[in-house]
Amino acid sequence: MKRDIQSFLLYLFGFLLLWEWLRPVEQLTKTNHIEMFIIFILLSFAVTFLRLRWIWRTILKLWFILFSLNQFHYQDGFFQLGWLSSLFGELTNNFGMIFAQNWAGLTNVFRTLLFFILLWLMVYLVRYWLLNRKRIFIFFFMTLIYITVLDTFTLYSANVAIVRTVIEGFAVMGMLTYFRILAKENVTSDSLITRKWMRPLVLMIVFSVIVGIISPKFAPIWPDPVPFLKAAADKGGEDKAGTGVGKVGYGADDSQLGGPFIGDDSVVFQSEAVEKNYWKVETKDHYTGKGWIPSGSTLLRFGGDEVIPVFPIHSSVETRDESAALHHFMDYTHLIYPAGIQRVQFERSYDLEMDSTKEKIIILGFDSTPIAPDSYTVQFKVPKYKASDLRQTSVVDLEQINTDFIRKYTQLPENLPERIKELAETITAGETNWFDKAKAVERHFSSSVFTYDQTNVAVPGENDDYVDQFLFETKIGYCDNFSTSMAVLLRSIGIPTRWVKGYTGGEFLKYSDDERQRPIYEVTNNNAHSWVEVYFPNQGWVPFEPTKGFTNNVSVDFTNEDGTPAAAETTAPVTPVPKKDLEENSSKSKESDTSFTFNGIWLSIITFLDQHWKWILLSFVMAGGAVGIMYRIRGKWIPYLYLVQFRLKKKDENIGKAYLVLLGQLERYGLKRKEDQTLRNYARYIDTFFASREMSKLTDRYEQYLYHQKLPEGSWMESRELWENLIKKTIA
C-alpha cells in the first residue's frame, strides 16, 4: 500500500482501535506506566507505515522494550549494562517456571515482557487485517464486546469509549470496502473518486453518531444481572473487610478504610480564586483501628449570611482576607470551604446547619430540606504562621486546655499496637515542642520506604490495625493511609490531631473573563483528598500534609523578628579568623562556587530529565516520525524550496546549478537517467514522458553554458520559465 493520506488514516484508525483495549487496563488492573505501552503501539505502526526494513523495525522495537523494562523495574541507568545480566538471569528463571507450570511464580519483569510481545503480535495482526485481508469487522466487533462487558461488570465507564469505537470502526470499514472495490474492478484510484466515496461515508458516520446521542434512551426491559451475580459470588466467599475496588471521590462513610480505587475525572466544582486552596468538607475525631467515625453530633443552625461558627485560626495569628467563587457541577448539599471561612454568599437566601463535631455544613432551602446551589462565594482568612510562635506550645500550661478536648483529640483504640507509639517516640526524639515533632512525623513519610499507590493497597483484616499495617507491613497507600498514620502517631505521644476530608486545589483551567482576570481552577473527583490538622493552643488548628507527592499552601515564616532563622535556637560563639586564612578561604570558596554552580546546573538537568523523560521520549518519537514522513515525501515539498530559491536569482550562471537540481528532482520523481545515456537522449525521454519540448530546450542552453562558460545576457530569465514548468510537473 502506498504511503499516502489514505493509508495513513488506515494506520491511524487501527492504532485508535487497539488503544481502546488499553484504556481500561490502567484503571482495572495494577498495570502502571500505560503510556509506555501506548507509545510502543504507536512506534510499531509508525515504522511499518514508513516501510523501514524488517531488521531496523525489529531493532527499534527491541530497544524500546529493553528501555521500558529498565525504567520500570531496575534502578541502574539504561547504559549501565550490569542490569542486563540480571534481566537475562530473571528470564531464564521464568522460563523454568513456565515449564514447571508455576504461573503464579512469574515475576513482574517477565510479565511486562510478555505484555510487550502480546502488543507486538496484536499490531502485526491489525496490520495483516488492514493491508492483506482488507477486513477489520471481527476485530471491531471484538472491541465492542470487550468494552461493553467491562462497562457492565466493572467500574469502567464505556459511554464515551463506545462512541469512539463506533466512529473508528465505521471509518476504517468504509475505507477498506472502498479499497476492495477498486481491487475487484481493477480501477485506478484518483482524488475525485476518493472524494465521492469518502464524503458520504463521513456524513453517514456523523449522522449516525448524532442520532445515537440525541435519541431518547428507554429504560431496560430486564433487570440488571450484575447485582445478582455479585450476590451469588459473595455467598461463595465474602471479603473480610467487605470492601473492593472503589471509585475516587467524596464519600461520607470512613469507618472501613483501605483497598484500591480507580480514578474519576468527573468535575465537582470550579473555583475562581487568587490562588489554589485546600477545600474542606468535614473532619472526624474518633479512630477505631479500621477507620474514622465522629464521636458525636451537635447540630447548629444559623442564617446563610451570618458568620460561620468555625474558628480554626487563633486570634493572635496574622491573616489576610480573601474570597473565592465556587461553581458546582455536582448536586452536593454540603458546603465546600477553605479552612479560615468567615461568611458565604448565595444568590438566594438559604439557612445553614452545621454538625459542630464534624464541622460539616449543610445548605437548607426555604422548607428546611437540603438543597444544592449552583454557585456561591466564600469569604475567608488566610493565615501566616510564625515558626517561633508555633514552637511556643512547649511552654504552654496544658492544664489550661479543656481536659475533655485533649481526651477527644488524642483518643486511640485500647488495642492499638505498642510499636506505633515506640515509632512516634523514635521519630520525634530530640524535639522539644509540638510543632517540631509534627514536622518530624510529616517528614518521616517522605522517606523512600513509603510508596504512593492507589491500586496495590491492602485492606486490614479482622485482627489488623489500619495504621499498623501501613507503617510496618505494606508501606504502600494513598492519602487516607498517610494522613491517618500521621494523626495516630501524633496522638500516641499526646498531641491533639483530627482527620480532615475535602479536595486539593485542582488544575488551572483559564483566567476569568471579568476585569479581575483571576485564575479558575477545576476540581474533579481525582482531587478528593484527606490530610491532618494539629492543634496548637496559641495558634489553633494548623494543617499538615504527610501524603507523599502532595504539598499544601500553608504559609509558615521560619525567621525571628530580628531576621535570624527560627530554627537556630542556639548560636555558637564567633571565633576571629586570621586575615591570611580568610583570603585563602575566599579563593577556595570561589573555586567551590564555580564547581557548585556547574554541579547544580548538571543536577538540574538530570532532575528535569528524570521527571519528564516520558514526555521527552514521546517528543523524540513524534519528532522522529515527523522527520521520517517529511523525508519520505521530500519529493513533494523540496521543489517548492527550489522554486523560491531560484526565483530570486537573476545571473545567467545560475542555469548550471538549476539544471543539476532539476536532474536530482527528476530522479526523485522516478525518471532516473541511465549511466550511458547522454543529456540529449535523456532530455528527449523526459519530453516524451511529459509530452513537451521544454527539457530539450533547457538542455541546449545548459550545454551551451557547459562548453562555452558563457551565455547571451538574459538567458537565465528566458530559461527559468522552462525550468519552473518542469519542476512543477514533478510535484504533480
Side-chain angles (χ1 to χ4, degrees), residues 484-503:
T484 301
S485 297
M486 179 175 180
V488 170
L489 283 170
L490 291 177
R491 285 187 173 196
S492 69
I493 54 176
I495 299 178
T497 63
R498 63 183 182 182
W499 191 64
V500 188
K501 290 179 58 180
Y503 300 89

Side-chain angles (χ1 to χ4, degrees), residues 271-294:
S271 67
E272 180 184 328
V274 175
E275 59 186 4
K276 283 188 179 182
N277 297 283
Y278 267 37
W279 302 94
K280 294 176 62 173
V281 175
E282 63 179 330
T283 66
K284 292 186 178 176
D285 61 330
H286 190 90
Y287 176 65
T288 64
K290 295 291 188 293
W292 293 91
I293 60 174

Side-chain angles (χ1 to χ4, degrees), residues 47 82 110 113 156 163 228 305 342 349 362 390 468 471 506 509 626 635 650 655 659 683 691 697 715 722 728:
V47 296
F110 191 71
L113 177 62
Y156 178 69
V163 176
F228 299 98
D305 56 348
Q342 298 295 300
S349 178
I362 303 299
L390 291 167
D468 183 80
L471 289 176
L509 185 63
K650 298 182 179 181
I655 193 173
Y659 190 83
K697 293 179 181 179
S715 296
L722 301 174
K728 291 176 181 178

Side-chain angles (χ1 to χ4, degrees), residues 38 107 157 208 231 280 379 471 508 510 516 723:
I38 297 173
T107 62
S157 177
S208 302
K280 294 176 62 173
Q379 298 174 353
L471 289 176
F508 172 78
K510 61 180 180 179
R516 295 183 297 177
W723 179 83

